[in-house]
Amino acid sequence: MRIGIIGGGNVGQALAAALRRAGHAPILLLRSPGTEDAPLAPLADAAAYILAVPFDAAAEALAAVAPGGIPVLDATNPLAMGPDGLGLSLGFDDSGAERITRAFPRLRLTKVFNTTGANVMADAARFAPRPVMFAAGDDADAKAIALRLAADIGFEAVDAGPLRAARLLEAHAMLWIDLSMRRGLGRDFAFALRRAVP
Ligand SMILES: NC(=O)c1ccc[n+]([C@@H]2O[C@H](COP(=O)([O-])OP(=O)(O)OC[C@H]3O[C@@H](n4cnc5c(N)ncnc54)[C@H](OP(=O)(O)O)[C@@H]3O)[C@@H](O)[C@H]2O)c1
């Protein structure tokens, strides 16, 4: 699949490498593109876009790319520094994904690729058992693409329900960040689903 990745930082580059390895054709959409990138503008043959910019830049970046009816996979987390350090800037009764969708009502948005570190997404095969990746969204086609791409790059892909479940996924991301930054786990860990032995 031709995937336009909006943002070429930690997440954009990690997902580009993993998707390329899985046989897809990702391209980074950047404000200052190099020769192998594309400008921050609509990508003619995109099957989906991945939104991988800081949450506060999401509206500006989406306005430039104008995805129209093409699914957008939202990897952002609404993070901000607070009195206790880095935390979610909204949550419980709202989510970044829902806020973006309110600003762009026709956006076919699925929350995915936000709940683990970019280093995990770069090469999920380094982890055993397979790490889990959740997707939440109201558009069935967009969510199907999200789940397929997550599985293709080595995750157990799990449908986490409607877009409003992004509230849970963004909090889940914050748990990963908190464990990583404050509880001594570093970045080389991932969550996995384990099931009872029958
Ligand atoms: N890092 C992680 O492990 C991780 C994991 C899961 C989710 N996330 C989330 O994923 C998102 C990206 O994180 P990251 O670590 O990849 O960030 P990053 O390394 O800081 O990269 C951000 C990218 O966004 C671009 N950008 C910034 N403002 C923009 C704008 N107004 N229009 C277009 N592009 C813009 C930057 O381009 P320029 O070079 O032009 O500034 C850069 O390529 C964040 O929302 C983060 O919360 C991060």
Side-chain angles (χ1 to χ4, degrees):
M1 270 189 256
R2 181 74 159 160
I3 310 292
I5 302 182
I6 307 170
N10 300 303
V11 171
Q13 290 189 31
L15 288 173
L19 288 167
R20 204 167 291 122
R21 212 179 304 121
H24 292 289
I27 184 155
L28 299 178
L29 309 185
L30 304 180
R31 296 189 284 196
S32 306
T35 49
E36 299 192 344
D37 312 312
L40 191 70
L43 183 66
D45 51 353
Y49 293 102
I50 294 174
L51 184 61
V53 298
F55 176 70
D56 291 342
E60 189 182 315
L62 283 170
V65 171
I70 296 172
V72 174
L73 314 184
D74 172 22
T76 68
N77 283 309
L79 301 176
M81 289 305 284
D84 300 323
L86 194 63
L88 291 175
S89 62
L90 52 97
F92 304 115
D93 57 359
D94 199 4
S95 65
E98 290 165 282
R99 192 167 280 198
I100 291 170
T101 307
R102 283 198 299 276
F104 298 87
R106 284 192 294 279
L107 212 57
R108 302 175 65 192
L109 187 118
T110 283
K111 190 95 207 174
V112 67
F113 298 135
N114 73 306
T115 48
T116 194
N119 56 308
V120 177
M121 296 191 275
D123 191 0
R126 291 192 303 126
F127 298 84
R130 265 188 313 165
V132 66
M133 181 59 69
F134 301 106
D138 296 333
D139 185 291
D141 296 336
K143 187 153 60 177
I145 292 175
L147 292 169
R148 174 172 167 205
L149 295 182
D152 286 351
I153 65 170
F155 287 93
E156 175 169 4
V158 174
D159 183 346
L163 192 68
R164 92 187 245 116
R167 301 170 191 188
L168 308 179
L169 301 200
E170 291 170 11
H172 191 86
M174 197 58 232
L175 175 63
W176 189 94
I177 294 165
D178 195 75
L179 291 169
S180 172
M181 293 177 65
R182 299 199 189 103
R183 316 295 160 206
L185 263 68
R187 297 188 61 89
D188 266 342
F189 75 98
F191 298 117
L193 287 188
R194 304 301 297 262
R195 294 180 172 79
V197 178

